[in-house]
Structures are given as C-alpha cells and as structure tokens.
Amino acid sequence: MATKTNTEVNGHKYFRIRLLIGYDSNGKKVFKTFYGKSKSEAETKRDGFKQDLKNGMNIDAGELTLNVAFKDWTFNVIMPSGIKTSTFETYESIYRLYVNDSDIGIKKIKDIKSHMIQSYLNKLFKRGKKYPIILKLTKLLKRFFNYEIETDVIIKNPCLSVKVPGQINYLKEKNSNEVLVFTREERDIIIGY
C-alpha cells in the first residue's frame, strides 16, 4: 500500500502538518511544522509537542523574557481586543514603568516563580509605590500569565499565591475619619492677616 505524502523536501516525500503556536510582532500567524513518513507519524510528532507544551517542556515561547512576551501580549492581543483607549494606555504605562527591564522583566517566562514576583512587589512598596498601582500591576500580571496558560506556554500562574503589599495601610488611610484642620497661623496666612 502506498504511503500518502503532501510535501517534498530535498527529494524525499513527507507528510507535513502545521500547528498554530502564536503571532509575531506584526500580527502574522506563526506555525510550527511537523514532518513524518505518514500522516499518522506527523500527527504523533505534533501531539507529542502539544503534550510537551502542556507539561511545560520544550516550549519555544517559554524562552522569551517577560519584557518581550508582555509587550507582545499588550500590543498584539490586548490592544486589538477592542478595549477602551484609556484602559490600553493604563496597561501600556504599567508595562513601560513596571515590567520593561525590571527585576522580573528580564527573566524568562518559564523561569518566573511566585517568590520572584512577591519579592519584586515588596521592593516596589519599599520604594514608595502605593497599593493601588501595585494592585493594578498584580492584576495585569495575573491576566498575562493566564493567557500564557491558555496558549500552553506555562502550566501554572505564578501570581496566584502573591500578596499585594500595603493593603492594610491603604485601607486604614482610606477609612480614616480623621479630619485635618488648619492651625490658626495657617488660617491667618490664607486669609491674609
């Protein structure tokens, strides 16, 4: 029985199967190609690759740094999704100020662990960043890593066990009933005495 093939490479006939693995920075589809002597052999190679992706192994995309992958996600997944301009600007500024070239930004996606993110958030808090901005960063990172799970780049979201620093102080400040009053001297300066 003759083996069916659909392509020829260097004079040899193969069966070729392609798998969509993502999009490049220009929004074009990126495929990974698998060859076999038969359709079933090519499918077996493809299925093995997909299983490796689910297991967190042999992942080309996992080799990307958070800088590169987060920027690509922001501009090629989030922006075209139809969000408001103001929301996109917030996401872009968080990327630019807190992800790009940061302690965690330079790490490969597959190597980022919860304790690294927690350490980075704690460092931001110690540097004077307020709870609301750290919370926005954390939520955006969670959303990004969920996308990476959906696209089979990683198998677990490293943000799930992260605690946002400063929440207790922020809630105390927000719920404080203390009213600040001008002193007599401050009042006299304002009135012009």
Side-chain angles (χ1 to χ4, degrees):
M1 179 184 248
T3 303
K4 292 185 179 181
T5 60
N6 64 359
T7 190
E8 190 172 317
V9 179
N10 296 328
H12 299 286
K13 293 185 178 188
Y14 295 99
F15 196 90
R16 179 183 69 190
I17 294 178
R18 297 187 330 158
L19 175 69
L20 177 66
I21 59 171
Y23 297 86
D24 67 12
S25 59
N26 296 321
K28 292 184 179 180
K29 293 179 178 180
V30 176
F31 292 93
K32 183 157 181 72
T33 306
F34 303 90
Y35 296 95
K37 293 178 183 172
S38 66
K39 181 178 180 181
S40 63
E41 184 179 326
E43 287 173 340
T44 301
K45 288 180 180 180
R46 179 201 59 204
D47 294 344
F49 178 79
K50 286 168 76 175
Q51 187 61 43
D52 285 348
L53 287 175
K54 287 180 182 174
N55 294 333
M57 301 168 13
N58 190 22
I59 304 167
D60 298 334
E63 296 296 321
L64 295 175
T65 63
L66 181 60
N67 287 339
V68 173
F70 196 94
K71 181 178 181 182
D72 181 62
W73 174 73
T74 303
F75 287 92
N76 295 315
V77 176
I78 294 298
M79 188 171 81
S81 69
I83 62 171
K84 290 191 240 176
T85 304
S86 59
T87 304
F88 173 74
E89 288 171 354
T90 300
Y91 288 7
E92 188 279 330
S93 66
I94 288 174
Y95 160 73
R96 188 172 19 88
L97 298 172
Y98 301 106
V99 176
N100 190 34
D101 296 328
S102 67
D103 294 352
I104 58 171
I106 59 174
K107 304 275 187 214
K108 291 180 180 179
I109 294 171
K110 67 176 187 166
D111 296 334
I112 296 176
K113 306 292 182 216
S114 294
H115 72 276
M116 295 174 179
I117 295 172
Q118 186 69 63
S119 176
Y120 179 61
L121 297 177
N122 293 345
K123 187 186 282 188
L124 288 175
F125 183 69
K126 287 176 186 172
R127 289 183 184 163
K129 299 300 174 194
K130 300 290 183 193
Y131 172 78
I133 194 66
I134 298 173
L135 179 63
K136 282 183 186 176
L137 170 62
T138 306
K139 285 181 177 181
L140 199 56
L141 285 171
K142 281 182 183 177
R143 188 170 171 195
F144 166 77
F145 284 115
N146 282 336
Y147 173 78
E148 295 298 300
I149 291 170
E150 290 169 11
T151 55
D152 293 329
V153 175
I154 58 174
I155 58 173
K156 183 180 177 194
N157 189 329
C159 289
L160 292 180
S161 61
V162 169
K163 305 291 183 226
V164 181
Q167 181 178 12
I168 294 171
N169 294 340
Y170 176 74
L171 293 175
K172 283 181 184 176
E173 290 172 13
K174 190 175 179 181
N175 294 330
S176 174
N177 292 328
E178 184 178 321
V179 177
L180 298 177
V181 180
F182 290 115
T183 64
R184 287 185 185 265
E185 293 81 21
E186 291 170 331
R187 183 199 65 191
D188 291 345
I189 290 170
I190 292 170
I191 295 175
Y193 287 136

